[in-house]
Amino acid sequence: LSGLVLDRRAESAGLAAALMTLLLVVFSSLAIVQFETGPEANIKTAGDALWWALSTITTVGYGDRYPLTAEGRLVAAVLMLGGIALFGVISGFVAAWFLAPASKAQKSEMDELREGVRELRSLLERSLNTGTS
């Protein structure tokens, strides 16, 4: 299992980021509903909490829903940092995908081509050396 994770680091990081994002949104939504219980709170339902969590983690933050308690603001801060980290991971994942090494078949073809170039170079050097002697 660890070999598979190491061989596919970019995919593993992408999957881990997706899982962490899901967990962060769900737990933040649950936490914000628990903390924002006052009469002046504007996050009152699970739907409000989910909308708030999604707009916060994507760093959009429309401002229609926002926490008023200190605990709720702490949850919001963690969620915002998670959103920023998520964009970093997504950027890294896309970069790794573009820069991924060639497949094994392409590598073996390249190795064959390199060996052929070495042989040609060797033949050329030998013919030049025998021609000048």
Side-chain angles (χ1 to χ4, degrees), residues 24-40:
L24 198 55
V25 166
V26 168
F27 286 122
S28 295
S29 297
L30 292 172
I32 208 73
V33 166
Q34 293 298 315
F35 292 138
E36 299 295 312
T37 56
E40 69 280 352

Side-chain angles (χ1 to χ4, degrees), residues 66-77:
Y66 50 89
L68 298 174
T69 63
E71 296 88 357
R73 290 179 178 175
L74 181 63
V75 170

Side-chain angles (χ1 to χ4, degrees), residues 43-60:
I43 303 173
K44 296 179 189 277
T45 67
D48 290 344
L50 187 59
W51 173 252
W52 168 82
L54 288 172
S55 67
T56 301
I57 199 166
T58 58
T59 67
V60 172

Side-chain angles (χ1 to χ4, degrees), residues 2 5 13 18 21 24 27 29 59 83 86-88 93-94 98-99 109 117 119 121:
S2 64
V5 170
T21 301
L24 198 55
F27 286 122
S29 297
T59 67
L86 172 67
F87 283 115
F93 177 73
V94 170
F98 278 119
L99 300 174
E109 288 176 17
V117 168
E119 289 175 13
R121 186 177 290 154

